[in-house]
Amino acid sequence: MANRNLDRVMSLGISDLALDRVMEFIQDPRDRNAVSLVCRRWYEADSRTRKHVIIALCYTCTPDRLARRFRCLESLKLKGKPRAAMFNLIPEDWGGYAGPWINEIARDFQCLKSLHFRRMIVKDNDLEVLAQARGYMLEVLKLDKCSGFSTDGLRHIGRSCRYLLS
């Protein structure tokens, strides 16, 4: 851990390090968004220090774009289908597939501890990929109003994700 911090200090200037420390005290996502619009340096500081992201509709951002901007995410909440889907106003095959997101999470999100999918289609093989890639550090997995998976997918999660909190 000490070597990692030393490498960070060496790669960043002292003023960037101070800005990162200040950014840690800004918790409200709206405030974070406003701060990141001030200038390029503040945008980059927000990218380095933000730990939690909520995406209200999975089609507003691509998985690779999220991975490029926020390399150190610890928590991600991702919403798929609009709320109208709960009342059968949207066709079942409308979209909201978790597969592309899980593939990107497996590849790039090294610090992710908490993952929350809401109204998304999560397949068994998606859960298997997630369990194999991030099972060793995943602490929270919420599949809220999701469909497309069975007990086989949950079995992969149960076997590989030893640190899940109840």
Side-chain angles (χ1 to χ4, degrees):
M1 186 71 168
N3 288 340
R4 191 168 150 201
N5 287 337
L6 183 60
D7 291 341
R8 186 169 177 223
V9 169
M10 298 303 278
S11 67
L12 296 174
I14 296 298
S15 61
D16 286 336
L17 192 60
L19 184 58
D20 286 0
R21 293 287 180 226
V22 170
M23 286 287 208
E24 291 173 3
F25 290 101
I26 303 171
Q27 299 297 324
D28 189 321
R30 292 172 298 203
D31 292 341
R32 280 281 192 146
N33 290 339
V35 163
S36 70
L37 296 174
V38 171
C39 66
R40 185 70 168 172
R41 245 174 96 213
W42 288 27
Y43 175 88
E44 291 167 357
D46 178 42
S47 297
R48 282 191 305 270
T49 59
R50 192 177 296 214
K51 301 294 182 199
H52 312 286
V53 169
I54 298 173
I55 298 178
L57 180 64
C58 64
Y59 294 112
T60 58
C61 175
T62 62
D64 63 321
R65 174 73 179 112
L66 183 72
R68 280 195 314 267
R69 177 154 184 216
F70 301 111
R71 305 296 289 176
C72 299
L73 273 187
E74 292 179 6
S75 171
L76 175 62
K77 182 175 183 178
L78 188 62
K79 298 177 184 177
K81 297 177 184 179
R83 192 163 178 260
M86 294 186 330
F87 305 103
N88 295 326
L89 298 174
I90 294 177
E92 183 62 32
D93 61 348
W94 177 85
Y97 295 98
W101 289 95
I102 289 177
N103 291 334
E104 193 68 39
I105 288 166
R107 190 172 38 254
D108 287 330
F109 290 98
Q110 304 298 324
C111 303
L112 195 68
K113 296 177 185 173
S114 175
L115 184 59
H116 182 173
F117 289 122
R118 184 171 175 89
R119 291 188 301 269
M120 295 194 76
I121 298 173
V122 183
K123 300 197 184 274
D124 288 338
N125 61 345
D126 296 334
L127 292 175
E128 182 178 5
V129 168
L130 181 64
Q132 288 174 353
R134 295 284 158 250
Y136 64 93
M137 63 182 308
L138 200 61
E139 294 176 1
V140 177
L141 176 63
K142 292 182 182 178
L143 301 173
D144 188 17
K145 296 178 178 61
C146 291
S147 62
F149 61 93
S150 67
T151 54
D152 292 336
L154 296 177
R155 187 177 306 120
H156 292 295
I157 295 295
R159 286 183 181 155
S160 299
C161 301
R162 301 281 182 212
Y163 300 106
L164 283 179
L165 305 173
S166 55

